[in-house]
């Protein structure tokens, strides 16, 4: 089992987290005014890149949402940071 670094609680089991998508995938402005194609792109199309990626995750235990930098090939986590503070990375334990 892999351990993920919650910036608020520290290292926790991966089973406590929920994936929220790619970091930087901005929600369309104006829910009713946005075109269907814009919402489709936002909801369903992902970069699905191989290698280093910045992702949004939620720690279900504390309810906080944060950004985690992770390699999608090796699953190595390089750090995490709270979204609300735009802040500093919490270094992942190796």
């Amino acid at each position: 089992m892999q351990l993920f670094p919650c910036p608020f609680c520290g290292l926790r089991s991966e089973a406590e987290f929920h994936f929220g998508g790619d970091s930087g995938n901005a929600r369309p402005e104006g829910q009713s005014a946005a075109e269907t194609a814009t919402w489709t792109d936002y909801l369903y199309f992902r970069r699905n890149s191989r290698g280093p990626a910045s992702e949004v995750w939620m720690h279900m235990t504390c309810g906080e949402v944060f950004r985690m930098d992770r390699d999608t090939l090796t699953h190595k986590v390089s750090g995490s940071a709270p979204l609300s503070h735009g802040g500093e990375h919490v270094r992942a334990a190796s």
Side-chain angles (χ1 to χ4, degrees):
M1 178 169 291
Q2 188 172 9
L3 297 176
F4 285 166
C6 172
F8 305 95
C9 306
L11 290 176
R12 297 286 196 250
S13 165
E14 65 181 301
E16 295 182 16
F17 294 86
H18 179 75
F19 180 69
D22 298 326
S23 176
N25 186 18
R27 184 181 175 95
E29 296 283 333
Q31 292 181 350
S32 60
E35 298 287 328
T36 301
T38 303
W39 278 105
T40 301
D41 287 347
Y42 170 73
L43 293 171
Y44 300 110
F45 293 108
R46 304 283 185 245
R47 291 188 296 264
N48 199 22
S49 58
R50 297 172 49 124
S54 183
E55 303 168 328
V56 174
W57 287 79
M58 174 181 247
H59 184 202
M60 302 303 284
T61 304
C62 71
E64 295 288 346
V65 178
F66 63 95
R67 187 186 83 232
M68 182 162 59
D69 292 331
R70 175 177 79 90
D71 190 307
T72 60
L73 290 176
T74 65
H75 301 290
K76 182 175 172 68
V77 176
S78 58
S80 62
L83 285 180
S84 58
H85 302 107
E88 157 179 341
H89 264 240
V90 175
R91 188 153 253 195
S94 49

Coordinates of all heavy atoms in Angstrom, one line a residue:
M1 N 0.8 -1.2 0.0 CA 0.0 0.0 0.0 C 0.9 1.2 0.0 O 1.9 1.3 0.7 CB -0.9 0.0 1.2 CG -1.8 1.2 1.3 SD -3.1 1.2 2.5 CE -4.1 -0.1 1.8
Q2 N 0.5 2.2 -0.8 CA 1.2 3.5 -0.9 C 0.8 4.5 0.1 O -0.4 4.5 0.5 CB 1.1 4.0 -2.3 CG 1.9 5.2 -2.6 CD 1.9 5.6 -4.1 OE1 1.1 5.1 -4.8 NE2 2.8 6.5 -4.4
L3 N 1.7 5.3 0.6 CA 1.3 6.4 1.5 C 1.4 7.7 0.7 O 2.3 8.0 0.0 CB 2.3 6.5 2.6 CG 2.4 5.3 3.5 CD1 3.5 5.4 4.6 CD2 1.0 5.0 4.2
F4 N 0.3 8.5 0.9 CA 0.2 9.8 0.2 C 0.4 10.9 1.3 O -0.1 10.8 2.4 CB -1.1 10.0 -0.5 CG -1.3 9.3 -1.8 CD1 -2.5 9.2 -2.3 CD2 -0.2 8.7 -2.4 CE1 -2.7 8.5 -3.5 CE2 -0.4 8.1 -3.6 CZ -1.6 7.9 -4.2
P5 N 1.0 12.1 1.0 CA 1.2 13.1 1.9 C 0.1 14.1 1.9 O 0.0 15.0 1.0 CB 2.6 13.8 1.5 CG 2.6 13.6 0.0 CD 1.9 12.3 -0.2
C6 N -0.8 14.1 2.9 CA -1.8 15.2 3.0 C -1.1 16.3 3.7 O -0.4 16.2 4.7 CB -2.9 14.7 3.9 SG -4.1 16.0 4.4
P7 N -1.2 17.6 3.1 CA -0.5 18.7 3.7 C -1.0 19.1 5.0 O -0.4 19.9 5.8 CB -0.7 19.8 2.7 CG -1.6 19.3 1.6 CD -1.9 17.9 1.9
F8 N -2.1 18.6 5.4 CA -2.7 18.9 6.7 C -2.5 17.8 7.8 O -2.4 18.1 9.0 CB -4.2 19.2 6.6 CG -4.5 20.2 5.5 CD1 -4.8 19.9 4.2 CD2 -4.5 21.6 5.8 CE1 -5.0 20.8 3.2 CE2 -4.7 22.5 4.9 CZ -5.0 22.2 3.6
C9 N -2.5 16.6 7.3 CA -2.5 15.4 8.3 C -1.2 14.6 8.2 O -0.9 13.7 9.0 CB -3.6 14.5 8.0 SG -5.2 15.3 8.1
G10 N -0.4 14.8 7.2 CA 0.9 14.0 7.0 C 0.6 12.8 6.2 O -0.4 12.7 5.5
L11 N 1.5 11.8 6.3 CA 1.4 10.6 5.5 C 0.2 9.8 5.9 O 0.1 9.5 7.1 CB 2.7 9.8 5.6 CG 3.9 10.4 4.9 CD1 5.2 9.6 5.1 CD2 3.7 10.6 3.4
R12 N -0.5 9.3 4.9 CA -1.7 8.5 5.2 C -1.8 7.5 4.1 O -1.3 7.6 3.0 CB -3.0 9.3 5.2 CG -3.0 10.4 6.3 CD -3.3 9.7 7.6 NE -3.7 10.6 8.6 CZ -2.9 11.0 9.6 NH1 -1.7 10.5 9.8 NH2 -3.3 11.9 10.5
S13 N -2.6 6.4 4.3 CA -2.8 5.4 3.4 C -3.5 5.9 2.1 O -4.4 6.7 2.3 CB -3.7 4.3 4.0 OG -4.2 3.4 3.0
E14 N -3.2 5.4 1.0 CA -3.8 5.9 -0.3 C -5.3 5.6 -0.3 O -6.1 6.3 -1.0 CB -3.2 5.2 -1.5 CG -3.4 3.7 -1.5 CD -2.7 3.0 -2.7 OE1 -3.1 3.3 -3.8 OE2 -1.9 2.1 -2.4
A15 N -5.8 4.7 0.5 CA -7.2 4.3 0.6 C -8.0 5.5 1.2 O -9.2 5.5 1.0 CB -7.4 3.1 1.4
E16 N -7.4 6.5 1.8 CA -8.1 7.6 2.4 C -8.3 8.8 1.4 O -8.8 9.8 1.8 CB -7.3 8.1 3.6 CG -7.2 7.1 4.8 CD -6.5 7.7 6.0 OE1 -6.3 8.9 6.1 OE2 -6.1 6.9 6.8
F17 N -7.8 8.6 0.2 CA -7.8 9.7 -0.7 C -8.7 9.5 -1.9 O -9.0 8.3 -2.3 CB -6.4 10.0 -1.2 CG -5.5 10.5 -0.2 CD1 -4.8 9.6 0.6 CD2 -5.3 11.8 0.0 CE1 -3.9 10.0 1.7 CE2 -4.4 12.3 1.0 CZ -3.8 11.4 1.8
H18 N -9.2 10.6 -2.5 CA -10.0 10.5 -3.7 C -9.4 11.4 -4.8 O -9.1 12.6 -4.5 CB -11.4 11.0 -3.4 CG -12.4 11.0 -4.5 ND1 -12.9 9.8 -5.1 CD2 -12.8 12.0 -5.3 CE1 -13.7 10.1 -6.1 NE2 -13.6 11.4 -6.3
F19 N -9.2 10.9 -6.0 CA -8.6 11.6 -7.1 C -9.6 12.7 -7.6 O -10.8 12.4 -7.8 CB -8.2 10.7 -8.2 CG -7.6 11.3 -9.4 CD1 -6.4 11.9 -9.3 CD2 -8.3 11.3 -10.6 CE1 -5.8 12.5 -10.4 CE2 -7.7 11.9 -11.7 CZ -6.5 12.5 -11.6
G20 N -9.1 13.9 -7.8 CA -10.0 15.0 -8.3 C -9.7 15.5 -9.7 O -10.4 16.4 -10.1
G21 N -8.7 14.9 -10.3 CA -8.4 15.3 -11.7 C -7.1 16.1 -11.8 O -6.4 16.2 -10.9
D22 N -6.9 16.6 -13.0 CA -5.6 17.3 -13.3 C -5.7 18.6 -12.7 O -6.7 19.3 -12.7 CB -5.5 17.5 -14.8 CG -5.4 16.2 -15.6 OD1 -4.8 15.2 -15.0 OD2 -5.9 16.1 -16.7
S23 N -4.6 19.1 -12.1 CA -4.4 20.4 -11.6 C -4.4 21.4 -12.7 O -3.8 21.1 -13.8 CB -3.1 20.5 -10.8 OG -2.9 21.8 -10.3
G24 N -5.1 22.5 -12.6 CA -5.1 23.5 -13.6 C -6.3 23.4 -14.6 O -6.4 24.1 -15.6
N25 N -7.1 22.4 -14.4 CA -8.3 22.2 -15.3 C -9.4 23.1 -14.7 O -10.2 22.8 -13.8 CB -8.8 20.7 -15.2 CG -9.9 20.4 -16.2 OD1 -10.1 21.2 -17.1 ND2 -10.6 19.4 -15.9
A26 N -9.4 24.3 -15.3 CA -10.3 25.4 -14.7 C -11.7 25.2 -15.1 O -12.1 24.8 -16.2 CB -9.8 26.7 -15.3
R27 N -12.6 25.3 -14.1 CA -14.1 25.1 -14.3 C -14.6 26.3 -15.1 O -14.2 27.4 -14.9 CB -14.7 25.2 -12.9 CG -16.2 24.9 -12.9 CD -16.7 25.1 -11.5 NE -18.2 24.9 -11.4 CZ -18.8 23.8 -11.2 NH1 -18.2 22.7 -10.9 NH2 -20.1 23.8 -11.2
P28 N -15.4 26.0 -16.1 CA -16.0 27.1 -17.0 C -16.7 28.1 -16.2 O -17.4 27.8 -15.2 CB -16.9 26.3 -17.9 CG -16.5 24.9 -17.9 CD -15.9 24.7 -16.5
E29 N -16.6 29.4 -16.6 CA -17.3 30.5 -15.9 C -18.8 30.4 -16.3 O -19.1 30.1 -17.5 CB -16.7 31.8 -16.3 CG -15.2 32.0 -15.9 CD -15.2 32.3 -14.4 OE1 -16.1 32.9 -13.9 OE2 -14.1 32.0 -13.8
G30 N -19.6 30.8 -15.4 CA -21.1 30.9 -15.8 C -21.7 29.6 -16.2 O -21.7 29.2 -17.4
Q31 N -22.2 28.9 -15.2 CA -22.7 27.5 -15.5 C -23.7 27.4 -16.6 O -23.7 26.6 -17.5 CB -23.4 27.0 -14.2 CG -22.4 26.7 -13.1 CD -23.0 26.1 -11.9 OE1 -24.2 26.1 -11.8 NE2 -22.2 25.7 -11.0
S32 N -24.7 28.4 -16.7 CA -25.7 28.3 -17.7 C -25.3 28.8 -19.1 O -25.8 28.4 -20.1 CB -27.0 29.0 -17.3 OG -26.7 30.3 -17.0
A33 N -24.3 29.7 -19.1 CA -23.8 30.4 -20.3 C -22.8 29.5 -21.0 O -22.6 29.7 -22.2 CB -23.3 31.7 -20.0
A34 N -22.1 28.6 -20.4 CA -21.1 27.8 -21.0 C -21.7 26.8 -22.0 O -22.7 26.3 -21.8 CB -20.3 27.1 -20.0
E35 N -21.0 26.7 -23.1 CA -21.4 25.8 -24.2 C -21.3 24.3 -23.7 O -20.4 24.0 -22.9 CB -20.6 26.0 -25.4 CG -20.7 27.3 -26.0 CD -22.0 27.5 -26.8 OE1 -22.5 26.5 -27.3 OE2 -22.5 28.7 -26.8
T36 N -22.1 23.4 -24.3 CA -22.0 22.0 -23.9 C -20.6 21.5 -24.2 O -20.1 20.7 -23.4 CB -23.0 21.2 -24.7 OG1 -24.3 21.7 -24.4 CG2 -23.0 19.7 -24.4
A37 N -20.0 21.9 -25.3 CA -18.7 21.4 -25.6 C -17.6 21.8 -24.6 O -16.7 21.1 -24.3 CB -18.2 21.9 -27.0
T38 N -17.8 23.0 -24.0 CA -16.9 23.5 -23.0 C -17.0 22.6 -21.8 O -16.0 22.3 -21.2 CB -17.2 25.0 -22.7 OG1 -17.1 25.8 -23.8 CG2 -16.3 25.5 -21.6
W39 N -18.2 22.3 -21.4 CA -18.4 21.4 -20.2 C -17.9 20.0 -20.5 O -17.4 19.4 -19.6 CB -19.9 21.4 -19.8 CG -20.3 22.6 -19.0 CD1 -21.0 23.7 -19.4 CD2 -19.9 22.8 -17.6 NE1 -21.1 24.6 -18.4 CE2 -20.5 24.1 -17.3 CE3 -19.2 22.1 -16.7 CZ2 -20.3 24.6 -16.0 CZ3 -19.0 22.7 -15.4 CH2 -19.6 23.9 -15.1
T40 N -18.1 19.5 -21.7 CA -17.6 18.2 -22.0 C -16.1 18.2 -21.9 O -15.6 17.2 -21.3 CB -18.1 17.8 -23.4 OG1 -19.5 17.9 -23.5 CG2 -17.6 16.5 -23.8
D41 N -15.5 19.2 -22.4 CA -14.0 19.2 -22.3 C -13.6 19.2 -20.8 O -12.6 18.5 -20.4 CB -13.4 20.5 -23.0 CG -13.5 20.3 -24.5 OD1 -13.7 19.2 -25.0 OD2 -13.3 21.4 -25.2
Y42 N -14.2 20.1 -20.0 CA -13.9 20.2 -18.6 C -14.1 18.9 -17.8 O -13.3 18.5 -17.1 CB -14.7 21.3 -18.0 CG -14.6 21.4 -16.5 CD1 -13.4 21.8 -15.9 CD2 -15.6 20.9 -15.7 CE1 -13.3 21.9 -14.5 CE2 -15.5 21.0 -14.3 CZ -14.4 21.5 -13.7 OH -14.3 21.5 -12.4
L43 N -15.2 18.2 -18.1 CA -15.6 17.0 -17.3 C -14.9 15.7 -17.8 O -14.6 14.9 -17.0 CB -17.1 16.8 -17.4 CG -17.9 17.9 -16.6 CD1 -19.4 17.7 -16.9 CD2 -17.6 17.9 -15.2
Y44 N -14.7 15.6 -19.1 CA -14.3 14.2 -19.6 C -13.0 14.1 -20.3 O -12.4 13.0 -20.3 CB -15.4 13.7 -20.6 CG -16.7 13.6 -19.9 CD1 -17.8 14.5 -20.3 CD2 -17.0 12.7 -18.9 CE1 -19.0 14.4 -19.6 CE2 -18.2 12.6 -18.3 CZ -19.2 13.4 -18.7 OH -20.4 13.3 -18.1
F45 N -12.4 15.2 -20.8 CA -11.2 15.1 -21.5 C -10.0 15.4 -20.6 O -10.0 16.5 -20.0 CB -11.1 16.0 -22.7 CG -12.1 15.5 -23.8 CD1 -13.3 16.2 -24.0 CD2 -11.8 14.3 -24.5 CE1 -14.2 15.7 -25.0 CE2 -12.7 13.8 -25.4 CZ -13.9 14.5 -25.7
R46 N -9.1 14.5 -20.4 CA -7.9 14.7 -19.6 C -6.6 14.5 -20.4 O -6.6 13.9 -21.4 CB -7.9 13.6 -18.5 CG -9.2 13.5 -17.7 CD -9.1 14.6 -16.7 NE -10.3 14.5 -15.8 CZ -11.3 15.4 -15.7 NH1 -11.2 16.5 -16.5 NH2 -12.3 15.3 -14.9
R47 N -5.6 15.1 -19.8 CA -4.3 15.0 -20.5 C -3.7 13.6 -20.5 O -3.1 13.1 -21.4 CB -3.3 16.0 -19.9 CG -3.6 17.4 -20.1 CD -2.5 18.3 -19.7 NE -2.3 18.3 -18.2 CZ -2.8 19.1 -17.4 NH1 -3.5 20.1 -17.8 NH2 -2.7 19.0 -16.1
N48 N -4.0 12.9 -19.4 CA -3.5 11.5 -19.2 C -2.0 11.4 -19.6 O -1.7 10.4 -20.3 CB -4.4 10.6 -20.0 CG -4.3 9.1 -19.5 OD1 -3.9 8.9 -18.4 ND2 -4.6 8.2 -20.3
S49 N -1.2 12.3 -19.1 CA 0.2 12.3 -19.5 C 1.0 11.2 -18.7 O 0.6 10.7 -17.7 CB 0.8 13.7 -19.2 OG 0.6 13.9 -17.8
R50 N 2.0 10.8 -19.4 CA 2.9 9.8 -18.7 C 4.1 10.6 -18.1 O 4.7 11.4 -18.7 CB 3.5 8.9 -19.8 CG 2.4 8.0 -20.4 CD 3.0 7.2 -21.6 NE 4.2 6.6 -21.2 CZ 4.4 5.3 -21.4 NH1 3.4 4.5 -21.9 NH2 5.5 4.7 -21.0
G51 N 4.4 10.2 -16.9 CA 5.5 10.9 -16.2 C 5.0 11.9 -15.2 O 3.9 11.7 -14.6
P52 N 5.8 13.0 -14.9 CA 5.4 13.9 -13.9 C 4.1 14.6 -14.2 O 3.8 15.0 -15.3 CB 6.5 15.0 -13.9 CG 7.7 14.3 -14.6 CD 7.1 13.3 -15.5
A53 N 3.2 14.7 -13.1 CA 1.9 15.3 -13.3 C 1.5 16.0 -12.0 O 2.0 15.6 -10.9 CB 0.9 14.2 -13.6
S54 N 0.8 17.1 -12.2 CA 0.2 17.8 -11.0 C -1.3 17.5 -11.0 O -2.0 17.8 -11.9 CB 0.5 19.3 -11.2 OG 0.1 20.0 -10.0
E55 N -1.7 17.0 -9.8 CA -3.1 16.5 -9.7 C -3.8 17.1 -8.5 O -3.1 17.5 -7.5 CB -3.1 15.0 -9.6 CG -2.4 14.3 -10.8 CD -2.2 12.8 -10.6 OE1 -2.0 12.4 -9.4 OE2 -2.2 12.1 -11.5
V56 N -5.1 17.1 -8.5 CA -5.9 17.5 -7.4 C -6.4 16.3 -6.7 O -6.9 15.4 -7.3 CB -7.1 18.4 -7.8 CG1 -8.0 18.7 -6.6 CG2 -6.6 19.7 -8.5
W57 N -6.3 16.2 -5.4 CA -6.7 15.1 -4.6 C -7.5 15.6 -3.3 O -7.3 16.7 -2.9 CB -5.5 14.3 -4.1 CG -4.9 13.5 -5.1 CD1 -4.0 13.9 -6.1 CD2 -5.1 12.1 -5.4 NE1 -3.6 12.9 -6.9 CE2 -4.3 11.7 -6.5 CE3 -5.8 11.1 -4.8 CZ2 -4.2 10.5 -7.0 CZ3 -5.7 9.8 -5.3 CH2 -5.0 9.5 -6.4
M58 N -8.4 14.8 -2.8 CA -9.1 15.1 -1.6 C -8.7 14.1 -0.5 O -8.8 12.9 -0.8 CB -10.6 15.2 -1.8 CG -11.3 15.4 -0.5 SD -13.1 15.4 -0.7 CE -13.4 17.1 -0.3
H59 N -8.3 14.5 0.7 CA -8.1 13.6 1.8 C -9.5 13.4 2.4 O -10.0 14.3 3.1 CB -7.1 14.1 2.7 CG -6.8 13.1 3.8 ND1 -6.3 13.5 5.0 CD2 -6.9 11.8 3.9 CE1 -6.1 12.5 5.8 NE2 -6.5 11.4 5.1
M60 N -10.1 12.3 2.3 CA -11.5 12.0 2.7 C -11.6 12.1 4.2 O -12.7 12.5 4.8 CB -12.0 10.7 2.2 CG -11.9 10.5 0.7 SD -12.9 11.8 -0.2 CE -14.5 11.2 0.1
T61 N -10.6 11.8 5.0 CA -10.6 11.9 6.4 C -10.8 13.3 7.0 O -11.6 13.5 7.8 CB -9.4 11.2 7.0 OG1 -9.3 9.9 6.5 CG2 -9.4 11.1 8.5
C62 N -10.0 14.2 6.4 CA -10.0 15.6 6.9 C -10.9 16.5 6.0 O -11.2 17.6 6.4 CB -8.6 16.2 7.1 SG -7.7 16.6 5.6
G63 N -11.2 16.0 4.8 CA -12.0 16.8 3.9 C -11.3 17.9 3.1 O -11.9 18.7 2.4
E64 N -10.0 18.0 3.2 CA -9.2 19.0 2.6 C -8.9 18.6 1.1 O -8.6 17.4 0.9 CB -8.0 19.3 3.3 CG -8.2 20.0 4.7 CD -8.8 21.4 4.6 OE1 -8.7 22.0 3.6 OE2 -9.2 21.9 5.6
V65 N -8.8 19.6 0.3 CA -8.5 19.4 -1.1 C -7.1 20.0 -1.3 O -6.8 21.1 -0.8 CB -9.5 20.0 -2.1 CG1 -9.1 19.9 -3.5 CG2 -10.9 19.5 -1.8
F66 N -6.2 19.3 -2.1 CA -4.9 19.8 -2.2 C -4.3 19.3 -3.5 O -4.9 18.5 -4.2 CB -4.0 19.3 -1.1 CG -3.8 17.8 -1.0 CD1 -2.8 17.2 -1.6 CD2 -4.8 17.1 -0.3 CE1 -2.6 15.8 -1.5 CE2 -4.7 15.7 -0.3 CZ -3.6 15.1 -0.8
R67 N -3.2 19.9 -3.9 CA -2.4 19.5 -5.1 C -1.3 18.6 -4.8 O -0.6 18.8 -3.8 CB -1.8 20.8 -5.8 CG -1.2 20.5 -7.2 CD -0.5 21.6 -7.8 NE 0.8 21.7 -7.2 CZ 1.4 22.7 -6.6 NH1 0.8 23.8 -6.6 NH2 2.6 22.7 -6.1
M68 N -1.2 17.5 -5.6 CA -0.1 16.6 -5.3 C 0.6 16.4 -6.6 O 0.0 16.2 -7.7 CB -0.7 15.2 -4.8 CG 0.4 14.2 -4.5 SD -0.1 12.8 -3.5 CE -1.4 12.1 -4.4
D69 N 2.0 16.4 -6.6 CA 2.8 16.2 -7.7 C 3.3 14.7 -7.7 O 3.8 14.3 -6.7 CB 4.0 17.1 -7.7 CG 3.5 18.6 -8.0 OD1 2.5 18.8 -8.6 OD2 4.2 19.5 -7.5
R70 N 3.0 14.0 -8.7 CA 3.2 12.6 -8.7 C 3.6 12.1 -10.1 O 3.2 12.7 -11.1 CB 1.9 11.9 -8.3 CG 1.8 10.4 -8.4 CD 0.4 10.0 -7.9 NE -0.6 10.2 -8.9 CZ -0.9 9.2 -9.8 NH1 -0.3 8.0 -9.7 NH2 -1.9 9.4 -10.7
D71 N 4.5 11.1 -10.2 CA 4.9 10.6 -11.4 C 3.9 9.4 -11.8 O 3.8 8.5 -11.0 CB 6.3 10.0 -11.4 CG 6.8 9.6 -12.7 OD1 6.2 8.9 -13.5 OD2 7.9 10.1 -13.1
T72 N 3.2 9.6 -12.9 CA 2.2 8.6 -13.2 C 2.7 7.2 -13.7 O 2.0 6.3 -13.8 CB 1.2 9.1 -14.3 OG1 2.0 9.4 -15.5 CG2 0.5 10.4 -13.9
L73 N 4.0 7.2 -14.0 CA 4.6 5.9 -14.4 C 5.2 5.2 -13.2 O 5.0 4.0 -13.0 CB 5.8 6.2 -15.4 CG 5.3 6.6 -16.8 CD1 6.6 6.9 -17.6 CD2 4.5 5.5 -17.4
T74 N 5.9 5.9 -12.3 CA 6.5 5.2 -11.1 C 5.6 5.3 -9.9 O 5.9 4.6 -8.9 CB 7.9 5.9 -10.8 OG1 7.6 7.2 -10.4 CG2 8.8 5.9 -12.0
H75 N 4.6 6.2 -9.9 CA 3.8 6.5 -8.7 C 4.5 7.2 -7.6 O 4.0 7.3 -6.5 CB 3.1 5.2 -8.2 CG 2.2 4.5 -9.2 ND1 1.1 5.1 -9.7 CD2 2.4 3.4 -9.9 CE1 0.5 4.3 -10.6 NE2 1.3 3.3 -10.8
K76 N 5.7 7.6 -7.8 CA 6.5 8.3 -6.8 C 5.9 9.7 -6.6 O 5.7 10.5 -7.6 CB 8.0 8.5 -7.2 CG 8.8 9.2 -6.2 CD 10.3 9.1 -6.6 CE 11.1 10.0 -5.7 NZ 11.3 9.5 -4.4
V77 N 5.6 10.1 -5.4 CA 5.1 11.4 -5.1 C 6.2 12.3 -4.6 O 7.0 12.0 -3.8 CB 4.0 11.3 -3.9 CG1 3.5 12.6 -3.5 CG2 2.9 10.4 -4.3
S78 N 6.3 13.5 -5.3 CA 7.4 14.4 -5.0 C 6.9 15.5 -4.0 O 7.8 16.2 -3.4 CB 7.9 15.1 -6.2 OG 6.9 15.8 -6.9
G79 N 5.6 15.7 -3.8 CA 5.1 16.6 -2.8 C 3.7 17.0 -2.9 O 3.0 16.5 -3.8
S80 N 3.2 17.7 -2.0 CA 1.8 18.2 -2.0 C 1.7 19.6 -1.4 O 2.6 20.0 -0.6 CB 0.9 17.2 -1.2 OG 1.3 17.1 0.1
A81 N 0.6 20.3 -1.7 CA 0.4 21.6 -1.2 C -1.0 21.9 -1.2 O -1.8 21.5 -2.0 CB 1.1 22.7 -2.1
P82 N -1.5 22.7 -0.1 CA -2.9 23.1 0.0 C -3.3 24.0 -1.2 O -2.5 24.9 -1.6 CB -3.0 23.8 1.3 CG -1.7 23.8 1.9 CD -0.7 23.2 0.9
L83 N -4.5 23.7 -1.8 CA -4.9 24.6 -2.9 C -5.3 26.0 -2.3 O -5.1 27.0 -3.0 CB -6.1 24.0 -3.5 CG -5.9 22.8 -4.5 CD1 -7.2 22.3 -5.0 CD2 -4.9 23.2 -5.6
S84 N -5.9 26.0 -1.2 CA -6.4 27.3 -0.6 C -5.3 28.3 -0.3 O -5.5 29.4 -0.3 CB -7.3 27.0 0.6 OG -6.5 26.3 1.6
H85 N -4.1 27.8 0.0 CA -3.1 28.7 0.4 C -2.0 28.9 -0.7 O -1.2 29.7 -0.6 CB -2.3 28.1 1.6 CG -3.3 27.9 2.8 ND1 -3.7 26.6 3.2 CD2 -3.9 28.8 3.6 CE1 -4.5 26.8 4.2 NE2 -4.7 28.0 4.4
G86 N -2.2 28.1 -1.8 CA -1.3 28.2 -2.9 C 0.2 28.0 -2.5 O 1.1 28.3 -3.2
G87 N 0.3 27.3 -1.4 CA 1.5 27.3 -0.7 C 2.6 26.4 -1.0 O 2.8 25.9 -2.1
E88 N 3.3 26.2 0.0 CA 4.6 25.6 -0.1 C 4.4 24.0 0.0 O 3.4 23.6 0.6 CB 5.3 26.1 1.2 CG 6.4 25.3 1.7 CD 6.9 26.1 2.9 OE1 6.7 27.3 3.0 OE2 7.6 25.5 3.7
H89 N 5.2 23.4 -0.7 CA 5.1 21.9 -0.8 C 5.5 21.2 0.5 O 6.4 21.7 1.2 CB 6.1 21.4 -1.9 CG 5.5 21.2 -3.2 ND1 5.4 20.0 -3.8 CD2 4.8 22.1 -4.0 CE1 4.8 20.2 -5.0 NE2 4.4 21.4 -5.1
V90 N 4.8 20.1 0.7 CA 5.1 19.2 1.8 C 5.9 18.1 1.1 O 5.3 17.5 0.2 CB 3.9 18.7 2.5 CG1 4.3 17.7 3.6 CG2 3.1 19.9 3.1
R91 N 7.1 17.9 1.5 CA 7.9 16.9 0.9 C 7.4 15.5 1.2 O 7.1 15.2 2.4 CB 9.3 17.0 1.3 CG 10.3 16.2 0.6 CD 11.6 16.8 0.5 NE 11.7 17.2 -0.9 CZ 12.8 17.6 -1.4 NH1 13.9 17.6 -0.7 NH2 12.8 17.9 -2.7
A92 N 7.3 14.6 0.2 CA 6.9 13.3 0.4 C 8.0 12.5 1.0 O 9.2 12.7 0.7 CB 6.4 12.7 -0.9
A93 N 7.7 11.5 1.9 CA 8.7 10.6 2.4 C 9.1 9.6 1.4 O 8.2 9.2 0.6 CB 8.1 9.9 3.7
S94 N 10.3 9.2 1.3 CA 10.7 8.3 0.3 C 10.7 6.9 0.9 O 10.6 6.6 2.0 CB 12.1 8.6 -0.2 OG 13.0 8.9 0.8

